[in-house]
Amino acid sequence: MTQTVAHESNESEEAFAERARTFLRAHAAPRAAEERFVWGKGSDAPTMFEKLDRAAELRALAEAKEWRATKFDAGFAWIMGPPALGGAGLDRRYQDIWDRLEATYDVPSGSYFGIGLGMVAPTILAHAREEVAADLLPKLQRADLVACQLFSEPGAGSDLASLQMRAERDGDEWVLNGQKVWTSGAHYSDIGEVIARSDPDKPKHRGLTGFIVDMHAPGVDVRPLRQMTGGSNFNEVFFTDVRVPDRWRLGDVNDGWRVALTTLMNERASIGGGGVGGGGSGMVRLIEMARHFGVADDRLVRQELARVHIEDQVRHWTSARAMASLSAGRTPGPELSIGKLGLIRTIQATCDLVAHILGPRMVVDTGEWGTFNWSGYVLGAPAMRIAGGSDETLRNIVGERVLGLPKEPGIDTTSPYRDLKVGTQAR
């Protein structure tokens, strides 16, 4: 691995920007100016999850890894990272400068690294042994390694603490057995963060332990899951006597719930930053759809267009406030669930609007531009209502941990109505 170029942490914003421009001019081509959106021209495939065959996906991943490594070696991949681990040691202002400048150049997508860098890496930094973090984090940031998140199981999704995958201690190793499901990117990942049940006799939240696992280890079996969109962005992963060294444990034994919460809070921050969809044009595309089909003056359609815009703006401002809090050094908290819920409201408003305008055109492929391909977006929306915590779970988190409302009665809590007889009324 090439050593990252070090720079003074007191570098001025102007000097940093000029250095970034020089690097980008030398390594990438400027992005062509975005043409004004015109209905009927360009791509009409605003899918929620892009459908790529595995060969094309691997080619795109290789290009993304090469670009990430080039950035890392020049000091632009981990701008806010600690210098001791290969980061540039700069603050959010410099990251924002880089993001704005990089967006003006035609470079590979970094979406393959979103889970590893946005969710797994912060958890490693917070909970892994110092020597393990020093080894793995620079490799993740340089894209020498790609990481996935292995949490959900067939019987444990929103109620993650009900997971049943076992981790049994064997000397200086742990032996993992069980199944995980809905794992994005598992088929091209090198390592994964996994939570397993290490003590079945403890209450469910207290008998879990977190680990980093080698996705190429013997006994790890990754199988693609076909979605109703037609793609296979997710996987199920089976573990059969998979051995993990104890030094790759995250946090203390049986304290895996704390580890999981670190990941989940970062996950909701990452997901909540999404947008309306429908391509870079967003609202313009939706407005032009209404005009094309002659309903732009329909009062209900105009109301639904306004709803999409309002939901997206509120989500954007909420996420910006949360990101500012993180930039100030605060730990991600339950309030980040609001950003993810805001994204879902925006997506649902978009689906409602598109279904209203297109009607049967969205479910019957007549070849008409801008119609049937919206079905991929609508069919992908339910997955987003589950990813990062279901809507119901996140509402409970916001109600209980942000607003301070009483805990939702459940199988693990005492209901205030437990003594209420059938046919009686509460007084």
Side-chain angles (χ1 to χ4, degrees):
M1 182 180 69
T2 306
Q3 181 64 39
T4 305
V5 177
H7 291 277
E8 293 295 330
S9 59
N10 61 355
E11 180 180 24
S12 71
E13 295 178 37
E14 293 77 12
F16 175 85
E18 183 55 36
R19 184 163 59 86
R21 291 189 193 97
T22 301
F23 170 82
L24 287 164
R25 284 194 294 264
H27 293 89
R31 188 185 299 277
E34 186 174 352
E35 297 181 2
R36 180 180 177 274
F37 177 82
V38 177
W39 186 263
K41 293 185 178 181
S43 172
D44 73 333
T47 54
M48 184 72 66
F49 299 101
E50 187 177 6
K51 289 190 290 185
L52 288 178
D53 64 73
R54 289 296 163 94
E57 185 177 48
L58 290 177
R59 288 194 298 272
L61 174 60
E63 293 174 358
K65 293 175 75 170
E66 182 179 2
W67 174 242
R68 183 88 197 173
T70 302
K71 287 198 301 182
F72 185 91
D73 294 343
F76 294 113
W78 200 10
I79 292 171
M80 298 173 62
L85 296 178
L90 301 174
D91 62 32
R92 169 63 65 177
R93 295 171 299 161
Y94 295 85
Q95 183 67 59
D96 291 341
I97 291 170
W98 170 261
D99 290 343
R100 288 195 298 270
L101 291 174
E102 187 185 35
T104 64
Y105 283 79
D106 187 13
V107 299
S109 169
S111 60
Y112 295 100
F113 316 124
I115 292 174
L117 300 182
M119 306 172 198
V120 179
T123 306
I124 291 175
L125 184 61
H127 297 287
R129 295 187 183 188
E130 185 175 340
E131 66 274 15
V132 172
D135 176 40
L136 294 181
L137 289 176
K139 293 176 181 176
L140 285 171
Q141 295 292 339
R142 194 177 185 271
D144 295 327
L145 295 176
V146 179
C148 63
Q149 172 192 338
L150 300 142
F151 278 17
S152 295
E153 297 182 2
S158 296
D159 185 15
L160 179 62
S162 294
L163 62 84
Q164 296 301 310
M165 180 172 172
R166 293 298 182 92
E168 298 179 338
R169 188 80 180 249
D170 183 16
D172 291 332
E173 293 183 319
W174 293 81
V175 181
L176 306 186
N177 283 282
Q179 178 188 359
K180 296 293 181 177
V181 74
W182 308 122
T183 306
S184 303
H187 53 291
Y188 56 71
S189 291
D190 302 295
I191 60 173
E193 178 193 348
V194 63
I195 304 294
R197 187 159 301 285
S198 48
D199 191 339
D201 296 325
K202 288 184 177 293
K204 66 180 188 179
H205 288 83
R206 299 177 185 172
L208 307 175
T209 301
F211 304 92
I212 294 297
V213 62
D214 180 357
M215 295 298 292
H216 306 298
V220 177
D221 181 15
V222 179
R223 304 178 191 176
L225 287 171
R226 181 72 64 182
Q227 302 148 229
M228 61 183 176
T229 60
S232 296
N233 301 79
F234 308 120
N235 305 271
E236 55 184 344
V237 184
F238 295 85
F239 292 80
T240 305
D241 294 331
V242 177
R243 291 189 167 269
V244 178
D246 183 60
R247 65 188 182 87
W248 274 26
R249 172 168 41 85
L250 295 169
D252 295 332
V253 175
N254 295 328
D255 197 29
W257 187 244
R258 187 191 308 273
V259 175
L261 287 179
T262 299
T263 307
L264 291 172
M265 290 302 102
N266 282 285
E267 178 181 29
R268 287 155 193 168
S270 298
I271 294 176
V276 172
S281 309
M283 278 301 302
V284 175
R285 179 183 290 259
L286 297 175
I287 293 169
E288 291 303 316
M289 176 192 292
R291 287 174 175 162
H292 177 78
F293 290 106
V295 293
D297 292 328
D298 182 283
R299 292 182 178 179
L300 182 56
V301 170
R302 293 173 70 87
Q303 180 177 309
E304 291 183 339
L305 279 167
R307 177 188 167 207
V308 174
H309 178 68
I310 291 169
E311 295 286 3
D312 194 50
Q313 286 300 304
V314 171
R315 177 209 57 79
H316 171 75
W317 292 327
T318 300
S319 295
R321 186 166 60 246
M323 291 302 101
S325 177
L326 295 180
S327 299
R330 298 184 181 92
T331 302
E335 67 278 0
L336 293 179
S337 299
I338 300 173
K340 200 266 181 171
L341 285 170
L343 175 62
I344 295 305
R345 289 174 63 95
T346 303
I347 291 173
Q348 189 59 56
T350 302
C351 291
D352 292 344
L353 170 65
V354 171
H356 183 170
I357 296 175
L358 296 181
R361 299 180 185 90
M362 196 171 63
V363 294
V364 178
D365 189 2
T366 63
E368 184 180 3
W369 194 95
T371 58
F372 180 72
N373 273 334
W374 271 97
S375 63
Y377 183 95
V378 175
L379 289 174
M384 291 302 297
R385 305 192 75 138
I386 300 171
S390 69
D391 293 1
E392 294 78 10
T393 297
L394 298 188
R395 289 192 187 102
N396 280 344
I397 289 173
V398 172
E400 295 166 12
R401 301 181 61 194
V402 178
L403 301 179
L405 299 177
K407 186 173 178 60
E408 176 84 0
I411 60 173
D412 301 311
T413 60
T414 301
S415 169
Y417 307 110
R418 69 186 187 281
D419 296 325
L420 189 63
K421 304 294 184 183
V422 175
T424 64
Q425 293 182 345
R427 298 290 181 181

